[in-house]
Amino acid sequence: MSDTPFGFGLPPEEPDDGDQGKKNDPTRGGQGSGGPANPFGFGPGAGGDNPFAAMFGSMNPNDLGAAFQQLGQMLSYEGGPVNWDMAKQIARQTVSQGTADGSKDASVGPAERSAVDEALRLADLWLDGVTSMPSGAISSVAWSRAEWVEATLPAWQQLVDPVAERVGLAMGDVLPEEMQAMAGPLIGMMRSMGGAMFGQQIGQAVGVLAGEVVGSTDIGLPLGPAGRAALLPLNVERFGKDLSVPQDEVRLYLALREAAHQRLFAHVPWLRSHLFGAVEGYARGIKVDTSKLEDVVGQFDPSQPEQLQEALQQGMFQPEETPEQKAALARLETALALVEGWVDAVVHAAAKSRLTSADALRETMRRRRASGGPAEQTFATLIGLQLRPRRLRDASRLWASLTDARGLEGRDALWEHPDMLPTAHDLDDPDGFVHHEQMDFSELDKMLGEAANGPKKPAPGADAPDDATDKGDDDGKDDTDK
């Protein structure tokens, strides 16, 4: 019987004929539902082996009792919208399968930990000269892929739960109110199934992503614990494998990016909630295809629970575009572009005179974003967002121009409040934002000062304004008679 939790289909172990294994392995870009092309399996064309068919088709009749016991455990799940225990198990098992190039996860040794610690320490020292923000890292760590999964799952939960919760609520809303009480057990079963399905899809996506990321902030969001700068030595090595760049330079450049992200998120207290709030705002605007959902609810057969998985793969929960979602995604896309642009600008300023390969590493990182690797695709599939490279380059140019025009403190001061940051329109015209005339507050300060000191008395002999009212005489006589 399969060792996979609840019998869900996971990437198979690579057989002796490695090419065939890559074709069948969904983490290697094939047609599996968990591959990078669509890691969460939403939308048409997701494909993939039916997990329940995999569960029952690979066992003999004597194992059916155990299989149904596992299925009962899955259906008895009563947690939130996502079964995160399942997600963690599947993510770790996906990590254990290795990556497409055969790279397997391994524990981090003392020498690697020392190299990461030294790189992050030196990176912070270099950044002191290119930003007014002090260090944001309380500690530095070197993670294996499995450790990255464990450390980032709380952030993924905060990102995914709002979206999954809307889907779960929709599963009960499609039934008339008078029928909901009668169908309570069925709805509960479907929600448990939905939590399990989300857990399976998300766990596989996070597991695939763990083989790609080099730190805790690769997608522009703080996925790790606050104040903990992290690098994954195994993935850092893979990143620089074909670049013809010394490994020490690759590690130090990536350490600069990680340390710069840490400074920004540590010293801009509103930024994390702003970014995660935009995801929640998107979730509030999700609309589910209720016609498909009604069909599934009306025809759902508890003896064929794979129907719900098929509905997920057919796009029943494909979010519809709404004004609320577009607005939330526009805010998130702009904010992420500004974050990545600022990091790109300050890292380049710190590295260009110290690392001979700074330009090549910068362009490699930009192309990595433009190519839409697993990091971009996972996030895009999750909430429908794609961070456009044009936005990243425009934002980086804007921050560099602001440095020249206003200095380090003037540039970084824009992070004091979200209303002070450039907008999407400003990214279209960075030079216009940088060189526009700043508001002159001197006249406003003068007016406020006069208001605080009372009305100004006219000079002796000065004529009063035509519309002035004499408040000192009550005899009604003209002042000229005095």
Side-chain angles (χ1 to χ4, degrees):
M1 181 176 155
S2 172
D3 291 331
T4 58
F6 307 110
F8 282 105
L10 290 174
E13 292 287 352
E14 186 171 325
D16 294 336
D17 54 340
D19 291 341
Q20 183 63 32
K22 293 178 183 178
K23 293 179 183 178
N24 294 333
D25 189 338
T27 68
R28 306 178 193 272
Q31 297 179 356
S33 61
N38 194 351
F40 287 90
F42 294 150
D49 293 337
N50 186 304
F52 292 93
M55 179 174 69
F56 291 108
S58 60
M59 64 184 68
N60 60 55
N62 295 330
D63 293 326
L64 286 177
F68 279 114
Q69 183 178 3
Q70 288 183 323
L71 181 60
Q73 292 174 351
M74 180 176 65
L75 294 177
S76 65
Y77 170 72
E78 296 180 351
V82 176
N83 189 330
W84 286 103
D85 290 336
M86 174 181 289
K88 182 168 72 172
Q89 292 178 33
I90 292 180
R92 290 182 65 93
Q93 291 194 27
T94 303
V95 164
S96 71
Q97 299 294 324
T99 57
D101 61 359
S103 173
K104 298 284 187 179
D105 194 23
S107 298
V108 180
E112 292 173 315
R113 294 187 187 279
S114 177
V116 167
D117 184 70
E118 176 64 19
L120 288 168
R121 184 196 63 79
L122 185 57
D124 253 339
L125 183 63
W126 288 3
L127 289 173
D128 284 339
V130 294
T131 174
S132 62
M133 296 184 186
S135 174
I138 301 173
S139 63
S140 60
V141 292
W143 283 335
S144 67
R145 293 167 181 169
E147 288 172 328
W148 180 89
V149 169
E150 294 279 353
T152 62
L153 272 179
W156 286 113
Q157 184 171 356
Q158 187 175 353
L159 284 168
V160 174
D161 271 351
V163 180
E165 185 175 4
R166 287 289 299 133
V167 172
L169 291 174
M171 298 177 80
D173 294 342
V174 297
L175 288 178
E177 185 175 352
E178 60 273 11
M179 293 182 59
Q180 290 186 14
M182 298 174 57
L186 175 60
I187 295 175
M189 180 184 297
M190 291 186 66
R191 286 179 176 169
S192 295
M193 290 288 296
M197 297 301 178
F198 267 108
Q200 191 264 349
Q201 300 287 351
I202 294 166
Q204 181 139 357
V206 171
V208 172
L209 188 55
E212 175 79 9
V213 295
V214 295
S216 69
T217 55
D218 278 31
I219 63 174
L221 291 174
L223 295 179
R228 187 175 299 177
L231 291 179
L232 282 72
L234 180 59
N235 292 352
V236 170
E237 182 180 355
R238 290 184 64 230
F239 178 88
K241 183 178 180 180
D242 299 321
L243 297 182
S244 299
V245 175
Q247 187 65 24
D248 289 345
E249 287 201 17
V250 173
R251 185 188 303 112
L252 187 48
Y253 186 84
L254 297 177
L256 282 167
R257 289 184 52 84
E258 176 73 9
H261 277 104
Q262 292 293 335
R263 290 187 181 222
L264 192 59
F265 286 114
H267 299 292
V268 183
W270 55 265
L271 184 56
R272 178 187 175 94
S273 60
H274 179 76
L275 293 171
F276 281 70
V279 178
E280 294 179 8
Y282 170 86
R284 286 193 298 270
I286 280 184
K287 304 295 181 183
V288 179
D289 190 339
T290 56
S291 61
K292 287 185 179 180
L293 188 56
E294 288 171 354
D295 289 341
V296 172
V297 173
Q299 302 175 13
F300 182 70
D301 183 353
S303 66
Q304 296 181 344
E306 68 273 13
Q307 289 178 353
L308 191 59
Q309 172 72 8
E310 294 173 356
L312 280 168
Q313 294 177 345
Q314 293 170 4
M316 180 176 66
F317 301 141
Q318 188 72 28
E320 299 174 357
E321 288 190 351
T322 65
E324 295 84 0
Q325 284 176 302
K326 290 181 179 179
L329 289 179
R331 290 193 302 271
L332 184 56
E333 183 182 55
T334 301
L336 283 174
L338 291 173
V339 168
E340 289 300 286
W342 185 87
V343 168
D344 181 76
V346 300
V347 166
H348 186 66
K352 64 183 179 182
S353 62
R354 296 182 173 99
L355 298 180
T356 57
S357 303
D359 290 335
L361 289 167
R362 183 189 201 187
E363 189 59 29
T364 298
M365 182 59 68
R366 286 180 167 183
R367 290 182 179 180
R368 172 183 165 109
R369 284 305 188 99
S371 65
E376 295 293 339
Q377 292 167 357
T378 298
F379 200 49
T381 307
L382 172 61
I383 64 170
L385 170 72
Q386 290 182 339
L387 180 61
R388 293 172 292 170
R390 180 178 66 85
R391 301 283 82 183
L392 170 57
R393 293 177 185 268
D394 287 346
S396 179
R397 187 168 67 251
L398 183 148
W399 290 118
S401 298
L402 282 169
T403 306
D404 295 336
R406 306 184 189 181
L408 301 182
E409 293 187 1
R411 177 200 65 194
D412 294 344
L414 292 176
W415 289 103
E416 291 180 0
H417 193 277
D419 291 344
M420 297 175 64
L421 288 176
T423 64
H425 174 74
D426 295 323
L427 291 181
D428 293 329
D429 182 22
D431 294 335
F433 178 83
V434 172
H435 299 295
H436 79 280
E437 293 185 5
Q438 299 188 42
M439 185 177 296
D440 184 1
F441 291 98
S442 59
E443 289 298 324
L444 178 60
D445 290 340
K446 182 179 179 181
M447 293 172 60
L448 292 175
E450 291 176 352
N453 296 327
K456 184 177 180 180
K457 296 182 179 180
D463 293 334
D466 292 341
D467 59 348
T469 301
D470 181 35
K471 298 182 179 178
D473 298 313
D474 295 327
D475 57 2
K477 295 180 180 180
D478 191 291
D479 289 341
T480 58
D481 294 339
K482 294 181 179 179

